[in-house]
Amino acid sequence: RDRHCTHPGCSRPPTACDAHHIVHWADGGPTALDNLALLCRRHHTLAHTTAWTLTLDPHTRRPTWTPPPPIDTTDRCTIHLPTRPTTAA
């Protein structure tokens, strides 16, 4: 099924990939084709350390990646520091 790393735009060959459990084996995910996807080292690390999610499409049985939600860079915290009182000279 997977001819290369399944992350969008990546074409690392199977020999450079790991089999990734979509539902982690420690959480009861089976080591079966319907629960595995080929990931190169970079994208395997990404799957475990970022908010990217990997699921299996129920219709095509192909791995599907969902990116994390965008970061709102307009919601900034403004800090107002107290001003020192001025003294009359």
Side-chain angles (χ1 to χ4, degrees):
R1 179 192 69 197
D2 303 339
R3 293 186 172 99
H4 50 76
C5 174
T6 61
H7 193 272
C10 188
S11 59
R12 299 279 298 179
T15 55
C17 293
D18 301 322
H20 169 74
H21 287 81
I22 296 169
V23 175
H24 198 278
W25 63 268
D27 296 327
T31 302
L33 185 57
D34 277 348
N35 190 45
L36 297 172
L38 287 182
L39 301 180
C40 69
R41 182 57 46 141
R42 176 178 177 217
H43 293 121
H44 202 171
T45 301
L46 184 94
H48 286 283
T49 60
T50 69
W52 278 88
T53 58
L54 178 60
T55 56
L56 201 64
D57 183 290
H59 303 290
T60 64
R61 309 306 296 162
R62 308 249 335 135
T64 304
W65 285 85
T66 305
I71 296 171
D72 182 3
T73 59
T74 62
D75 187 21
R76 306 250 179 211
C77 178
T78 304
I79 299 173
H80 296 283
L81 299 174
T83 58
R84 289 184 165 182
T86 55
T87 56

Coordinates of all heavy atoms in Angstrom, one line a residue:
R1 N 0.8 -1.2 0.0 CA 0.0 0.0 0.0 C 0.9 1.2 0.0 O 0.7 2.1 -0.9 CB -0.9 0.0 1.2 CG -1.8 1.1 1.4 CD -2.5 1.2 2.7 NE -1.5 1.5 3.7 CZ -1.7 1.4 5.0 NH1 -2.9 0.9 5.4 NH2 -0.8 1.7 5.9
D2 N 1.8 1.4 1.0 CA 2.6 2.6 1.1 C 3.9 2.4 0.3 O 4.6 1.5 0.6 CB 3.0 2.9 2.5 CG 1.7 3.1 3.4 OD1 0.7 3.4 2.9 OD2 1.9 2.9 4.7
R3 N 4.1 3.2 -0.7 CA 5.3 3.1 -1.6 C 6.4 4.0 -1.1 O 7.5 4.0 -1.7 CB 4.9 3.4 -3.0 CG 3.9 2.3 -3.6 CD 3.7 2.5 -5.0 NE 3.0 1.4 -5.6 CZ 1.7 1.4 -5.8 NH1 0.9 2.4 -5.5 NH2 1.1 0.3 -6.3
H4 N 6.1 4.8 -0.1 CA 7.1 5.8 0.4 C 6.5 6.3 1.7 O 5.4 5.9 2.1 CB 7.4 6.9 -0.6 CG 6.1 7.5 -1.1 ND1 5.4 8.5 -0.4 CD2 5.5 7.4 -2.3 CE1 4.4 8.9 -1.1 NE2 4.4 8.2 -2.3
C5 N 7.3 7.2 2.3 CA 6.8 7.9 3.5 C 5.4 8.5 3.2 O 5.2 9.1 2.2 CB 7.8 9.0 4.0 SG 7.2 10.0 5.4
T6 N 4.5 8.3 4.1 CA 3.1 8.8 3.8 C 2.8 10.3 4.1 O 1.8 10.8 3.9 CB 2.1 8.0 4.6 OG1 2.3 8.1 6.0 CG2 2.1 6.5 4.2
H7 N 3.8 11.0 4.7 CA 3.6 12.4 5.0 C 3.5 13.1 3.6 O 4.2 12.8 2.7 CB 4.8 13.0 5.8 CG 4.5 14.3 6.3 ND1 4.7 15.5 5.6 CD2 3.9 14.7 7.5 CE1 4.3 16.5 6.3 NE2 3.8 16.1 7.5
P8 N 2.6 14.1 3.5 CA 2.4 14.8 2.3 C 3.7 15.4 1.7 O 4.4 16.1 2.5 CB 1.4 15.9 2.6 CG 0.7 15.4 3.8 CD 1.7 14.6 4.6
G9 N 4.0 15.1 0.5 CA 5.1 15.7 -0.2 C 6.4 15.0 0.1 O 7.4 15.3 -0.5
C10 N 6.4 14.0 0.9 CA 7.7 13.2 1.2 C 7.7 12.0 0.3 O 6.7 11.3 0.1 CB 7.7 12.8 2.7 SG 9.3 12.1 3.1
S11 N 8.9 11.7 -0.3 CA 9.0 10.5 -1.1 C 10.1 9.6 -0.7 O 10.7 8.9 -1.5 CB 9.2 11.0 -2.6 OG 10.3 11.8 -2.7
R12 N 10.5 9.7 0.6 CA 11.5 8.7 1.1 C 11.1 7.3 0.9 O 9.9 7.0 1.2 CB 11.8 9.0 2.6 CG 12.3 10.4 2.9 CD 13.8 10.6 2.7 NE 14.5 9.6 3.5 CZ 15.8 9.6 3.5 NH1 16.5 10.4 2.7 NH2 16.4 8.7 4.3
P13 N 12.0 6.5 0.3 CA 11.6 5.1 0.0 C 11.4 4.2 1.3 O 11.8 4.6 2.4 CB 12.8 4.6 -0.8 CG 13.9 5.4 -0.3 CD 13.4 6.7 0.0
P14 N 10.7 3.1 1.1 CA 10.4 2.2 2.3 C 11.7 1.8 3.0 O 11.6 1.6 4.2 CB 9.7 1.0 1.6 CG 9.1 1.5 0.4 CD 10.0 2.6 -0.1
T15 N 12.8 1.7 2.3 CA 14.0 1.3 3.0 C 14.5 2.4 4.0 O 15.3 2.1 4.9 CB 15.1 1.0 2.0 OG1 15.3 2.1 1.2 CG2 14.8 -0.3 1.2
A16 N 14.0 3.6 3.9 CA 14.4 4.7 4.8 C 13.3 5.0 5.7 O 13.2 6.1 6.3 CB 14.8 5.9 3.9
C17 N 12.3 4.1 5.9 CA 11.1 4.4 6.7 C 10.9 3.4 7.8 O 11.5 2.3 7.8 CB 9.8 4.3 5.8 SG 9.7 5.7 4.6
D18 N 10.2 3.8 8.8 CA 9.8 2.9 9.9 C 8.3 2.7 9.7 O 7.5 3.5 9.2 CB 9.9 3.6 11.3 CG 11.4 4.0 11.5 OD1 12.3 3.3 11.2 OD2 11.6 5.1 12.1
A19 N 7.8 1.5 10.3 CA 6.4 1.3 10.3 C 5.8 1.9 11.6 O 6.3 1.6 12.7 CB 6.1 -0.2 10.4
H20 N 4.9 2.9 11.4 CA 4.4 3.7 12.6 C 3.0 3.1 12.9 O 2.2 2.9 12.0 CB 4.3 5.1 12.2 CG 3.5 6.0 13.1 ND1 4.0 6.3 14.4 CD2 2.2 6.5 13.0 CE1 3.1 7.1 15.0 NE2 2.0 7.2 14.2
H21 N 2.7 2.8 14.2 CA 1.4 2.4 14.6 C 0.5 3.7 14.7 O 0.8 4.6 15.4 CB 1.5 1.8 16.0 CG 2.1 0.4 16.0 ND1 3.4 0.2 16.0 CD2 1.5 -0.8 16.1 CE1 3.6 -1.1 16.1 NE2 2.5 -1.7 16.1
I22 N -0.5 3.7 13.9 CA -1.5 4.8 13.9 C -2.1 4.9 15.3 O -2.1 6.0 15.9 CB -2.5 4.7 12.8 CG1 -1.8 4.8 11.5 CG2 -3.6 5.8 12.9 CD1 -2.6 4.4 10.3
V23 N -2.6 3.8 15.8 CA -3.0 3.8 17.2 C -1.9 3.1 17.9 O -1.6 1.9 17.6 CB -4.3 3.0 17.5 CG1 -4.6 2.9 18.9 CG2 -5.5 3.7 16.7
H24 N -1.2 3.8 18.8 CA 0.0 3.3 19.4 C -0.2 1.9 20.0 O -1.2 1.7 20.6 CB 0.5 4.3 20.5 CG 2.0 4.1 20.8 ND1 2.4 3.2 21.7 CD2 3.1 4.7 20.4 CE1 3.7 3.2 21.9 NE2 4.1 4.2 21.1
W25 N 0.8 1.1 19.9 CA 0.7 -0.3 20.4 C 0.5 -0.3 21.9 O -0.2 -1.2 22.5 CB 1.9 -1.2 20.0 CG 3.2 -0.7 20.5 CD1 4.1 0.2 19.9 CD2 3.8 -1.0 21.8 NE1 5.2 0.4 20.7 CE2 5.0 -0.3 21.9 CE3 3.4 -1.8 22.8 CZ2 5.8 -0.4 23.0 CZ3 4.2 -1.9 24.0 CH2 5.4 -1.2 24.0
A26 N 1.1 0.7 22.6 CA 0.9 0.8 24.1 C -0.5 1.1 24.5 O -0.9 0.9 25.6 CB 1.9 1.8 24.6
D27 N -1.3 1.7 23.5 CA -2.7 2.0 23.7 C -3.6 0.9 23.2 O -4.8 1.1 23.0 CB -3.0 3.3 23.1 CG -2.3 4.5 23.8 OD1 -2.0 4.4 25.0 OD2 -1.9 5.5 23.0
G28 N -3.0 -0.2 22.9 CA -3.8 -1.3 22.4 C -3.9 -1.5 20.9 O -4.6 -2.3 20.3
G29 N -3.1 -0.6 20.1 CA -3.2 -0.7 18.7 C -2.5 -1.9 18.2 O -1.3 -2.2 18.6
P30 N -3.1 -2.6 17.2 CA -2.5 -3.9 16.8 C -1.4 -3.6 15.7 O -1.3 -2.6 15.1 CB -3.7 -4.6 16.1 CG -4.5 -3.5 15.6 CD -4.4 -2.4 16.6
T31 N -0.5 -4.6 15.6 CA 0.6 -4.5 14.6 C 0.0 -5.2 13.4 O 0.2 -6.4 13.2 CB 1.9 -5.2 15.1 OG1 2.3 -4.5 16.2 CG2 2.9 -5.0 14.0
A32 N -0.9 -4.4 12.6 CA -1.6 -4.9 11.5 C -1.6 -3.8 10.4 O -1.5 -2.6 10.7 CB -3.0 -5.3 11.8
L33 N -1.6 -4.2 9.1 CA -1.6 -3.3 8.1 C -2.5 -2.1 8.2 O -2.2 -1.0 7.9 CB -1.8 -4.0 6.7 CG -1.6 -3.1 5.5 CD1 -0.2 -2.5 5.4 CD2 -1.8 -3.9 4.2
D34 N -3.7 -2.4 8.7 CA -4.7 -1.3 8.9 C -4.4 -0.4 10.0 O -5.2 0.5 10.3 CB -6.1 -1.9 9.1 CG -6.8 -2.2 7.7 OD1 -6.3 -1.8 6.7 OD2 -7.8 -2.9 7.8
N35 N -3.3 -0.6 10.7 CA -2.9 0.3 11.8 C -1.5 0.7 11.7 O -0.9 1.3 12.6 CB -3.1 -0.4 13.2 CG -2.9 0.5 14.3 OD1 -3.5 1.6 14.3 ND2 -2.1 0.2 15.3
L36 N -0.9 0.5 10.5 CA 0.5 0.9 10.2 C 0.6 1.9 9.1 O -0.2 1.8 8.1 CB 1.4 -0.3 10.0 CG 1.5 -1.3 11.1 CD1 2.2 -2.6 10.6 CD2 2.2 -0.7 12.3
A37 N 1.6 2.7 9.1 CA 1.9 3.6 8.0 C 3.4 3.8 7.9 O 4.1 3.9 9.0 CB 1.2 5.0 8.2
L38 N 3.9 3.9 6.7 CA 5.4 4.1 6.6 C 5.7 5.6 6.8 O 5.1 6.5 6.2 CB 5.9 3.7 5.2 CG 5.9 2.2 4.9 CD1 6.5 2.0 3.5 CD2 6.8 1.5 5.9
L39 N 6.7 5.8 7.7 CA 7.1 7.2 8.0 C 8.7 7.2 8.0 O 9.3 6.4 8.6 CB 6.6 7.7 9.3 CG 5.1 7.7 9.6 CD1 4.8 8.2 11.0 CD2 4.5 8.6 8.5
C40 N 9.2 8.2 7.3 CA 10.7 8.4 7.4 C 11.0 8.9 8.8 O 10.1 9.3 9.6 CB 11.2 9.4 6.3 SG 10.6 11.1 6.6
R41 N 12.2 8.9 9.2 CA 12.6 9.2 10.5 C 12.1 10.6 10.9 O 11.6 10.9 12.0 CB 14.1 9.1 10.7 CG 14.7 9.4 12.1 CD 14.1 8.6 13.1 NE 14.1 7.2 12.8 CZ 14.3 6.1 13.5 NH1 14.6 6.4 14.8 NH2 14.3 4.9 13.1
R42 N 12.3 11.6 10.0 CA 11.9 13.0 10.3 C 10.4 13.0 10.6 O 9.9 13.7 11.5 CB 12.2 13.9 9.1 CG 11.7 15.3 9.2 CD 12.1 16.1 8.0 NE 11.6 17.4 8.1 CZ 11.2 18.1 7.1 NH1 11.2 17.7 5.9 NH2 10.7 19.3 7.3
H43 N 9.5 12.4 9.7 CA 8.1 12.5 9.9 C 7.6 11.5 11.0 O 6.5 11.8 11.6 CB 7.4 12.2 8.6 CG 7.7 13.4 7.6 ND1 8.3 13.2 6.4 CD2 7.5 14.7 7.8 CE1 8.4 14.4 5.8 NE2 8.0 15.3 6.6
H44 N 8.4 10.5 11.3 CA 8.0 9.7 12.5 C 8.2 10.5 13.8 O 7.3 10.4 14.7 CB 8.9 8.4 12.5 CG 8.3 7.3 13.3 ND1 8.8 6.0 13.3 CD2 7.2 7.2 14.1 CE1 8.1 5.2 14.0 NE2 7.1 5.9 14.6
T45 N 9.3 11.2 13.8 CA 9.5 12.1 15.0 C 8.4 13.2 15.1 O 7.8 13.4 16.1 CB 10.9 12.7 14.9 OG1 11.9 11.7 14.9 CG2 11.1 13.7 16.1
L46 N 8.0 13.7 13.9 CA 7.0 14.8 13.8 C 5.7 14.2 14.4 O 5.0 14.9 15.1 CB 6.8 15.2 12.4 CG 5.9 16.4 12.1 CD1 6.6 17.7 12.2 CD2 5.2 16.2 10.8
A47 N 5.4 13.0 14.0 CA 4.1 12.4 14.4 C 4.0 12.2 15.9 O 2.9 12.2 16.5 CB 3.9 11.0 13.8
H48 N 5.2 12.0 16.6 CA 5.2 11.8 18.0 C 5.4 13.1 18.8 O 5.2 13.1 20.1 CB 6.3 10.8 18.4 CG 5.9 9.4 18.1 ND1 5.0 8.6 18.8 CD2 6.3 8.6 17.0 CE1 4.9 7.4 18.2 NE2 5.6 7.4 17.2
T49 N 5.9 14.1 18.2 CA 6.2 15.3 19.0 C 5.5 16.6 18.6 O 5.8 17.6 19.2 CB 7.8 15.6 18.8 OG1 8.0 15.8 17.5 CG2 8.6 14.5 19.4
T50 N 4.6 16.5 17.7 CA 3.8 17.7 17.3 C 2.3 17.4 17.3 O 1.9 16.3 17.5 CB 4.2 18.3 15.9 OG1 3.8 17.3 14.9 CG2 5.7 18.5 15.8
A51 N 1.5 18.4 16.9 CA 0.1 18.2 16.9 C -0.4 17.7 15.6 O -1.7 17.6 15.4 CB -0.6 19.5 17.2
W52 N 0.4 17.3 14.6 CA 0.0 16.6 13.4 C -0.7 15.3 13.8 O -0.2 14.6 14.7 CB 1.2 16.3 12.5 CG 1.7 17.4 11.7 CD1 2.6 18.4 12.0 CD2 1.3 17.7 10.3 NE1 2.8 19.2 10.9 CE2 2.0 18.8 9.9 CE3 0.4 17.1 9.4 CZ2 1.8 19.4 8.6 CZ3 0.2 17.7 8.2 CH2 1.0 18.8 7.8
T53 N -1.8 14.9 13.1 CA -2.4 13.7 13.4 C -2.4 12.8 12.2 O -2.5 13.3 11.1 CB -3.9 13.9 14.0 OG1 -4.6 14.6 13.0 CG2 -3.9 14.6 15.3
L54 N -2.4 11.5 12.4 CA -2.4 10.5 11.3 C -3.5 9.6 11.6 O -3.6 9.0 12.7 CB -1.0 9.8 11.3 CG -0.8 8.7 10.2 CD1 -1.0 9.3 8.8 CD2 0.5 8.1 10.4
T55 N -4.4 9.4 10.6 CA -5.5 8.5 10.7 C -5.6 7.7 9.4 O -4.9 8.0 8.5 CB -6.9 9.3 10.9 OG1 -7.0 10.2 9.8 CG2 -6.9 10.0 12.2
L56 N -6.4 6.7 9.5 CA -6.6 5.9 8.3 C -8.0 6.2 7.7 O -9.0 6.1 8.4 CB -6.5 4.4 8.7 CG -6.3 3.4 7.5 CD1 -4.9 3.7 7.0 CD2 -6.4 2.0 8.0
D57 N -8.0 6.6 6.5 CA -9.3 6.9 5.8 C -10.2 5.7 5.8 O -9.7 4.7 5.2 CB -9.0 7.5 4.4 CG -10.3 7.9 3.7 OD1 -11.1 7.0 3.4 OD2 -10.5 9.1 3.5
P58 N -11.4 5.7 6.3 CA -12.2 4.5 6.3 C -12.6 4.0 5.0 O -12.9 2.8 4.8 CB -13.4 4.9 7.2 CG -13.5 6.4 7.1 CD -12.0 6.9 6.9
H59 N -12.6 4.9 4.0 CA -13.1 4.5 2.6 C -11.9 3.9 1.8 O -12.1 2.9 1.1 CB -13.8 5.6 1.9 CG -15.0 6.2 2.7 ND1 -16.1 5.5 2.8 CD2 -15.1 7.3 3.4 CE1 -17.0 6.2 3.6 NE2 -16.4 7.3 3.9
T60 N -10.8 4.6 1.8 CA -9.7 4.2 0.9 C -8.7 3.4 1.7 O -7.8 2.8 1.0 CB -8.9 5.5 0.4 OG1 -8.4 6.2 1.5 CG2 -9.9 6.4 -0.4
R61 N -8.8 3.3 3.0 CA -7.8 2.6 3.8 C -6.4 3.1 3.7 O -5.4 2.4 3.9 CB -7.9 1.1 3.6 CG -9.2 0.4 3.6 CD -10.0 0.7 4.8 NE -9.4 0.1 6.0 CZ -9.7 0.4 7.2 NH1 -10.6 1.3 7.4 NH2 -9.1 -0.1 8.3
R62 N -6.3 4.4 3.3 CA -5.0 5.0 3.1 C -4.7 6.0 4.3 O -5.7 6.6 4.8 CB -4.9 5.8 1.8 CG -5.3 5.0 0.6 CD -4.3 4.6 -0.4 NE -3.2 5.5 -0.5 CZ -1.9 5.0 -0.6 NH1 -1.7 3.7 -0.6 NH2 -0.9 5.8 -0.7
P63 N -3.5 6.1 4.7 CA -3.1 7.1 5.8 C -3.5 8.5 5.4 O -3.2 8.9 4.2 CB -1.6 6.9 6.0 CG -1.3 5.6 5.4 CD -2.3 5.4 4.3
T64 N -4.0 9.3 6.3 CA -4.4 10.7 6.1 C -3.8 11.5 7.2 O -4.0 11.3 8.4 CB -5.9 10.8 6.1 OG1 -6.5 10.0 5.1 CG2 -6.3 12.3 5.8
W65 N -3.1 12.6 6.8 CA -2.5 13.5 7.7 C -3.3 14.7 7.9 O -3.9 15.2 6.9 CB -1.1 13.9 7.2 CG 0.0 12.9 7.4 CD1 0.2 11.9 6.5 CD2 0.9 12.8 8.4 NE1 1.3 11.1 6.9 CE2 1.7 11.6 8.1 CE3 1.1 13.5 9.6 CZ2 2.7 11.3 9.0 CZ3 2.2 13.1 10.4 CH2 2.9 12.0 10.1
T66 N -3.4 15.2 9.1 CA -4.1 16.4 9.4 C -3.2 17.4 10.2 O -2.6 17.0 11.2 CB -5.4 16.2 10.3 OG1 -6.2 15.2 9.7 CG2 -6.2 17.5 10.6
P67 N -2.9 18.6 9.6 CA -2.0 19.5 10.2 C -2.6 20.1 11.5 O -3.8 20.1 11.7 CB -1.8 20.6 9.2 CG -3.0 20.6 8.4 CD -3.5 19.1 8.4
P68 N -1.7 20.6 12.4 CA -2.2 21.2 13.6 C -3.0 22.5 13.3 O -2.8 23.0 12.2 CB -0.9 21.5 14.4 CG 0.2 21.5 13.4 CD -0.3 20.6 12.3
P69 N -3.8 23.0 14.2 CA -4.5 24.2 13.9 C -3.5 25.4 13.8 O -2.4 25.3 14.4 CB -5.4 24.4 15.1 CG -4.9 23.5 16.1 CD -4.1 22.4 15.5
P70 N -3.8 26.4 13.0 CA -2.9 27.5 12.8 C -2.7 28.2 14.2 O -3.6 28.3 15.0 CB -3.6 28.4 11.8 CG -5.0 28.0 11.7 CD -5.1 26.5 12.2
I71 N -1.6 28.8 14.3 CA -1.3 29.6 15.5 C -1.8 31.0 15.3 O -1.5 31.6 14.2 CB 0.2 29.6 15.8 CG1 0.6 28.2 16.1 CG2 0.5 30.6 17.0 CD1 2.1 28.0 16.3
D72 N -2.6 31.6 16.2 CA -3.1 32.9 16.0 C -2.0 33.9 16.5 O -1.7 34.1 17.7 CB -4.3 33.1 16.9 CG -4.9 34.5 16.7 OD1 -4.4 35.3 15.9 OD2 -5.9 34.7 17.4
T73 N -1.3 34.5 15.5 CA -0.2 35.4 15.9 C -0.7 36.8 16.2 O 0.0 37.7 16.6 CB 0.8 35.5 14.7 OG1 0.1 36.0 13.6 CG2 1.4 34.2 14.5
T74 N -2.1 37.1 16.1 CA -2.6 38.4 16.4 C -3.0 38.5 17.8 O -3.3 39.6 18.3 CB -3.8 38.7 15.5 OG1 -4.8 37.8 15.7 CG2 -3.4 38.7 14.0
D75 N -3.2 37.4 18.5 CA -3.6 37.5 19.9 C -2.4 37.7 20.8 O -1.8 36.7 21.3 CB -4.3 36.2 20.3 CG -5.0 36.2 21.6 OD1 -5.2 37.4 22.1 OD2 -5.2 35.2 22.2
R76 N -2.0 38.9 20.9 CA -0.8 39.2 21.7 C -1.1 39.7 23.1 O -2.1 40.4 23.3 CB 0.0 40.3 21.0 CG 0.4 39.9 19.5 CD 1.8 39.7 19.4 NE 2.1 39.3 18.1 CZ 3.1 38.5 17.8 NH1 3.8 38.0 18.7 NH2 3.3 38.2 16.5
C77 N -0.3 39.4 24.0 CA -0.5 39.9 25.4 C 0.3 41.2 25.5 O 1.5 41.3 25.2 CB 0.1 38.8 26.3 SG 0.0 39.4 28.1
T78 N -0.4 42.2 26.0 CA 0.3 43.5 26.2 C 0.5 43.7 27.7 O -0.4 43.6 28.5 CB -0.6 44.7 25.6 OG1 -0.9 44.4 24.2 CG2 0.1 46.0 25.7
I79 N 1.7 44.0 28.0 CA 2.1 44.3 29.4 C 2.2 45.8 29.6 O 3.0 46.4 28.9 CB 3.3 43.5 29.8 CG1 3.2 42.0 29.6 CG2 3.7 43.9 31.2 CD1 4.4 41.2 29.8
H80 N 1.5 46.3 30.5 CA 1.6 47.7 30.9 C 2.4 47.8 32.2 O 1.9 47.4 33.2 CB 0.2 48.4 31.0 CG -0.5 48.4 29.7 ND1 -0.3 49.3 28.7 CD2 -1.5 47.6 29.3 CE1 -1.1 49.0 27.7 NE2 -1.9 48.0 28.0
L81 N 3.6 48.3 32.1 CA 4.4 48.5 33.3 C 4.0 49.8 34.0 O 3.7 50.8 33.4 CB 5.9 48.5 32.9 CG 6.4 47.2 32.3 CD1 7.8 47.4 31.8 CD2 6.2 46.0 33.2
P82 N 4.0 49.7 35.4 CA 3.6 51.0 36.1 C 4.7 52.0 35.8 O 5.9 51.7 35.7 CB 3.6 50.5 37.5 CG 4.4 49.3 37.6 CD 4.3 48.6 36.2
T83 N 4.3 53.3 35.8 CA 5.2 54.4 35.6 C 5.7 54.9 36.9 O 4.9 54.8 37.9 CB 4.6 55.5 34.7 OG1 3.4 55.9 35.4 CG2 4.2 55.0 33.3
R84 N 6.9 55.4 37.0 CA 7.3 56.0 38.2 C 6.8 57.4 38.4 O 6.7 58.1 37.4 CB 8.9 56.1 38.2 CG 9.5 54.8 38.3 CD 11.0 55.1 38.3 NE 11.7 53.9 38.8 CZ 13.0 53.8 38.9 NH1 13.8 54.8 38.7 NH2 13.5 52.7 39.4
P85 N 6.4 57.7 39.6 CA 5.9 59.1 39.8 C 7.0 60.1 39.6 O 8.1 59.8 40.0 CB 5.3 59.1 41.2 CG 5.9 57.8 41.8 CD 6.3 56.9 40.7
T86 N 6.7 61.1 39.0 CA 7.7 62.2 38.8 C 7.7 63.0 40.1 O 6.7 63.3 40.7 CB 7.5 63.0 37.6 OG1 6.2 63.6 37.7 CG2 7.6 62.2 36.3
T87 N 8.9 63.5 40.4 CA 9.0 64.4 41.6 C 9.3 65.8 41.1 O 10.0 66.0 40.1 CB 10.2 63.9 42.5 OG1 11.4 63.9 41.7 CG2 9.9 62.6 43.1
A88 N 8.7 66.7 41.7 CA 8.9 68.1 41.4 C 10.2 68.6 41.9 O 10.7 68.3 43.0 CB 7.8 69.0 42.0
A89 N 10.9 69.3 41.0 CA 12.3 69.7 41.4 C 12.3 71.1 42.0 O 11.5 71.9 42.0 CB 13.2 69.8 40.1

